[in-house]
């Protein structure tokens, strides 16, 4: 079934667009914790499982989605859909991405006030917070490694034995440390740092 969906998506047929919308509906359905969690889920689904796009293209999309207004997960869905199927595809994948959230929030808004003080509900939310934090940390690690290191073939974030296959990029690291320092030590707007990052990439990368 997955192979059939992949072939339809890659051939950019109407059925392929429907399959891609279904993929983003699935991503939206299992994403709990915001845009950074969506990155981890999308990488597993779009890059590793369905192989719709490659890892370099994926993280270029992440960089653009993070640099533009709006939730990152929705921006990613719009970007992928538009890249593969044009503007109509972008609208369709965006709808697929947000539809689970719309359904869930309508249901929760209808019933949550009646159950929010229940011990089981409180315990569930207490367990969600550390789990979501871990997923966000994995996404941040992937982005940081791709931004600051040259990643050699065969590297796997989860396999410590392959970490020797990455090499630090000096200029990128220096700019990253400067950017973090500026953001934490000054009141400069983050948009300025993002714009400086784009200029840095054009000039030095």
């Amino acid at each position: 079934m997955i192979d059939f969906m992949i072939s339809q998506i890659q051939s950019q047929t109407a059925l392929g667009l429907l399959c891609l919308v279904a993929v983003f509906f699935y991503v939206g359905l299992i994403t709990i914790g915001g845009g950074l969690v969506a990155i981890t889920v999308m990488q597993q689904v779009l890059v590793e499982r369905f192989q719709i796009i490659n890892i370099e293209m994926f993280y270029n999309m992440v960089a653009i989605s993070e640099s533009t207004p709006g939730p990152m997960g929705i921006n990613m869905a719009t970007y992928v859909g538009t890249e593969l199927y044009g503007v109509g595809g972008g609208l369709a994948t965006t709808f697929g991405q947000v539809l689970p959230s719309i359904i869930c929030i309508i249901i929760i808004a209808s019933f949550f006030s009646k159950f929010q003080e229940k011990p089981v509900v409180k315990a569930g939310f207490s367990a969600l917070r550390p789990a979501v934090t871990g997923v966000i940390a994995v996404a941040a690690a992937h982005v940081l490694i791709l931004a600051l290191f040259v990643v050699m073939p065969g590297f796997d974030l989860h396999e410590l034995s392959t970490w020797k296959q990455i090499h630090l990029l000096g200029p990128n690291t220096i700019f990253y440390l400067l950017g973090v320092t500026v953001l934490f030590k000054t009141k400069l707007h983050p948009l300025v740092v993002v714009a400086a990052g784009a200029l840095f990439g054009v000039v030095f990368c």
Side-chain angles (χ1 to χ4, degrees), residues 127-171:
L128 277 176
R129 284 190 286 270
V132 169
T133 301
V135 176
I136 290 174
V138 170
H142 276 287
V143 174
L144 189 67
I145 288 171
L146 194 72
L148 303 186
F149 296 87
V150 176
V151 181
M152 306 301 289
F155 171 73
D156 185 347
L157 180 67
H158 309 291
E159 293 290 337
L160 293 179
S161 61
T162 66
W163 278 70
K164 61 184 179 181
Q165 295 176 257
I166 62 175
H167 305 283
L168 189 67
L169 287 169

Side-chain angles (χ1 to χ4, degrees), residues 1-10 16 18-20 22-23 50:
M1 182 63 181
I2 292 178
D3 290 339
F4 172 76
M5 292 177 68
I6 293 173
S7 65
Q8 291 298 314
I9 292 171
Q10 292 176 341
L18 185 61
C19 291
L20 189 61
V23 168
F50 285 87

Side-chain angles (χ1 to χ4, degrees), residues 20-179:
L20 189 61
V21 171
V23 168
F24 277 102
F25 181 88
Y26 168 74
V27 170
L29 186 63
I30 65 172
T31 298
I32 299 175
L36 286 175
V37 176
I39 291 177
T40 302
V41 175
M42 286 183 183
Q43 180 182 341
Q44 293 173 345
V45 175
L46 299 178
V47 179
E48 298 173 7
R49 188 175 183 186
F50 285 87
Q51 299 175 352
I52 296 171
I53 54 178
N54 60 44
I55 188 66
E56 183 176 359
M57 183 179 180
F58 176 78
Y59 278 109
N60 286 339
M61 290 179 175
V62 169
I64 293 174
S65 297
E66 178 67 7
S67 304
T68 50
M72 183 184 297
I74 296 175
N75 289 352
M76 285 288 293
T78 306
Y79 195 141
V80 174
T82 303
E83 182 73 19
L84 296 179
Y85 290 93
V87 175
L91 293 173
T93 51
T94 302
F95 177 74
Q97 172 78 11
V98 302
L99 184 58
S101 298
I102 293 173
I103 294 172
C104 289
I105 202 66
I106 290 174
I107 295 173
I108 291 172
S110 300
F111 298 101
F112 184 67
S113 60
K114 299 177 182 179
F115 300 104
Q116 59 182 331
E117 298 301 326
K118 298 287 186 181
V120 173
V121 175
K122 288 185 175 180
F125 278 100
S126 296
L128 277 176
R129 284 190 286 270
V132 169
T133 301
V135 176
I136 290 174
V138 170
H142 276 287
V143 174
L144 189 67
I145 288 171
L146 194 72
L148 303 186
F149 296 87
V150 176
V151 181
M152 306 301 289
F155 171 73
D156 185 347
L157 180 67
H158 309 291
E159 293 290 337
L160 293 179
S161 61
T162 66
W163 278 70
K164 61 184 179 181
Q165 295 176 257
I166 62 175
H167 305 283
L168 189 67
L169 287 169
N172 289 26
T173 303
I174 293 172
F175 182 84
Y176 168 76
L177 293 175
L178 286 174

